[in-house]
Amino acid sequence: MVVQRLRCGSMRLQRPFLVSPHKYQYCTRLERPRLHILIVGCGIGGLSAAYCLGRAGHKITVLERASEISDVGAGIQVAPNFSRLLIRWGLGKQLLQHASKPEGATFLRCECLLLAWGDAMTADYGAPYYHIHRADLLDMLHTLATPFMTLRLNSKVVAIDPSAACVTLENGDTLSGNLIVGADGLKSVVRTTIGPAKAPIDTGHSAYRAIVPTAAMRADPALRDLVDSREIVSWMGPEKHIVGYCIRGGAEYNLVLVHPNSTVKESYMAEGSVAQMRADFADWEPRIPKLLQLVEKTYILPLTYREPLDNWVHATNKIVLLGDAAHPMLPSRAQGAAMAVEDAAVLGTLLSHLSRTDDPVAGLGVLLRAYQAVRRRRTAENQRAAHTYLNVFHLPDGPAQRARDASMSATADAAAAAFRYDADAEARRWCQDNGIGERERAD
C-alpha cells in the first residue's frame, strides 16, 4: 500500500485510518492515538486481528508460542459471512486458487435431502461458500498481516500484568503495550486474567479428522461421485455423524467423523488410531468403510461445550478476548473460525475510531465494551446452536429422527440465515448510532 502524505492546515499526517472496507483517508485535523497492541496467538483469529488493527494504524506485536506458523491437515468451511470479509480484504483470487466451491449440501439418513447451492449462494447471501485447508487459509492470512505486524515466535506467555498491559514470556523477557488481545484459543492464558473460565461440559463425543487424496477416490467407482458432485455430504446416524467435502480445488477430501468417546485428552494435535476409527464406523453405509481404508493418518479432538462468557474485557480496559479464547464452540455449525474473523473485523473498525483517552464516546474503554456488545450475542447464539445441532445429528431411530429428516430443509434454511451477517456493517452501525462519524467530520 502506498501512503500519500497530505497536508491539512499546518499538520502533516502520514498514518491512514479506515473509512470504508476498501478505502483509506490520510487527512484529518486531529491525529488519532496510536496504540501498541500485543496479540497473543497467531492462529486464524490472531492474524485477522493483526491485519485489521494494523491497517487501522496501530503498532502490532504478535506473540506465538510455536516455533513456526503451521497447522495440521484439516479442512474448514468458509460460509458467506466469512468469505465476504476475506474477499473484502483482497483474498478473493487466493480463495479461488486454493479453495473448493461446493455445489450443494446432501444430508443422508433414511431419506436423502439435497440442497442446491452453486451460484445461488452468492446471489442469496452476497458472497460465496468455500471449503479450504486450514493451512492454506493460515498462510493467506499470514501474508496479509505481515506488513502490519512484528511476529515473535517461540514466545510463550506465562504471566500477564493487567494494570501495565505487560506480558512475561517463558524465556524471562517482558513486553509492555497499551492493549493485550487474547487470541490464544481454547486454553487461553489471557482469559484467566479476566476471570475464571466456564467449566467445560463433556458432550461424550470426540471427532476424528482426516484427509484423503481424491485421486484414490476417483479410482473407485463407488467413491467417485463424492468427488465429482462437489457437494458437502453429511451422514447422520444414532450417536454419530460424518461430514465430508473437497478442499484444495478438489485434490483432497476432508473428513470429520464424530462418535461417542469422552476419554481423549483435550488437544487439537492429538493423533488418533486409524484402526479404531475404521472399527467405529464399520457398520455404516458401504462407501464409508471403503473411504476410511484410504485414510493413513487421523487426528482426534474431544468435543466439549462451554457456556458463553459474561465478560471479554478486563476492568483495566487493557485486555480483551477474541475468537476461541472468548467463545469456543463445537464444530457442528462450522462457524468457529468465522466468529474469530468477524471479531477481528469489528474490533479493527471500532479501534480505527479511537480518539483522545478522555473522550466519553470514542475512548478505548468505551470501544472495547462496544466490541463486546456487538459481538457477544452473535457468538453466544452460535455456541448454543452448535451444541443443539450436535444432538440433532445424533438422534436414534424413531419419531424424533423421522421428524428431523422431514424438516431438515427448514433447519438448514434457518442456519443459513446467519450467512447474511456483515461484521463491518455491524461495527459501522454502532459508530453511526453513537455519532462517531459525525463528530469526527466536525473535528
Side-chain angles (χ1 to χ4, degrees), residues 72-385:
V72 298
I76 188 170
Q77 298 189 50
V78 182
N81 56 299
F82 190 170
S83 68
R84 84 171 79 256
L85 296 175
L86 299 179
I87 292 169
R88 207 171 272 164
W89 297 350
L91 296 176
K93 290 183 179 179
Q94 291 92 321
L95 285 170
L96 288 173
Q97 180 181 357
H98 295 288
S100 296
K101 190 174 181 180
E103 294 300 318
T106 297
F107 296 86
L108 300 176
R109 187 63 182 89
C110 296
E111 301 176 5
C112 176
L113 170 67
L114 171 63
L115 303 178
W117 287 354
D119 293 335
M121 185 63 69
T122 302
D124 291 344
Y125 301 107
Y129 201 116
Y130 288 114
H131 294 141
I132 193 168
H133 195 292
R134 290 183 67 95
D136 292 339
L137 178 59
L138 202 63
D139 183 63
M140 290 160 55
L141 290 171
H142 180 236
T143 301
L144 187 71
T146 292
F148 298 96
M149 69 178 182
T150 297
L151 173 61
R152 289 189 52 160
L153 300 173
N154 295 307
S155 297
K156 180 181 179 180
V157 174
V158 295
I160 299 172
D161 179 356
S163 62
C166 176
V167 301
T168 301
L169 305 182
E170 191 174 42
N171 64 5
D173 289 352
T174 60
L175 292 89
S176 295
N178 306 108
L179 176 66
I180 298 171
V181 176
D184 49 341
L186 184 65
K187 298 183 178 181
S188 173
V189 173
V190 180
R191 183 176 56 216
T192 61
T193 66
I194 294 178
K198 299 288 182 75
I201 301 169
D202 185 5
T203 66
H205 289 78
S206 295
Y208 293 111
R209 295 171 296 127
I211 288 179
V212 175
T214 53
M217 295 173 64
R218 284 195 171 98
D220 187 329
L223 301 178
R224 187 180 302 139
D225 187 59
L226 292 176
V227 180
D228 293 342
S229 66
R230 293 296 178 93
E231 297 165 0
I232 177 172
V233 182
S234 296
W235 290 265
M236 301 178 294
E239 288 296 307
K240 301 178 185 178
H241 79 273
I242 303 173
V243 178
Y245 53 82
C246 288
I247 55 176
R248 290 185 162 163
E252 295 177 342
Y253 196 77
N254 184 78
L255 282 169
V256 180
L257 306 98
V258 177
H259 66 295
N261 186 331
S262 59
T263 62
V264 180
K265 182 179 178 181
E266 194 169 54
S267 171
Y268 193 74
M269 298 289 289
E271 190 167 339
S273 166
V274 173
Q276 185 60 52
M277 177 186 65
R278 291 168 179 164
D280 287 338
F281 290 88
D283 59 346
W284 277 48
E285 68 131 305
R287 289 182 297 179
I288 298 301
K290 293 172 71 69
L291 185 56
L292 298 188
Q293 285 298 319
L294 302 177
V295 174
E296 297 181 355
K297 177 183 286 189
T298 184
Y299 294 91
I300 189 167
L301 177 72
L303 301 183
T304 56
Y305 172 70
R306 286 168 172 80
E307 285 289 338
L309 285 178
D310 298 323
N311 188 23
W312 302 2
V313 182
H314 194 274
T316 62
N317 296 323
K318 294 182 179 180
I319 299 177
V320 65
L321 301 177
L322 180 146
D324 283 351
H327 44 73
M329 59 188 66
L330 296 170
S332 316
R333 213 178 187 193
Q335 282 284 321
M339 294 300 101
V341 172
E342 287 182 1
D343 287 350
V346 169
L347 189 60
T349 297
L350 291 175
L351 292 194
S352 71
H353 292 282
L354 183 66
S355 187
R356 298 176 298 279
T357 56
D358 61 346
D359 191 300
V361 177
L364 179 58
V366 173
L367 293 178
L368 293 180
R369 299 292 170 180
Y371 157 72
Q372 175 178 298
V374 170
R375 293 297 301 150
R376 187 181 179 281
R377 180 178 178 180
R378 163 89 169 160
T379 57
E381 286 175 350
N382 272 279
Q383 282 179 282
R384 291 174 174 137

Side-chain angles (χ1 to χ4, degrees), residues 3-6 12-16 26 31:
V3 177
Q4 298 177 351
R5 295 174 172 83
L6 305 180
R12 191 179 188 188
L13 303 180
Q14 300 179 18
R15 186 177 61 78
Y26 298 91
E31 177 66 37

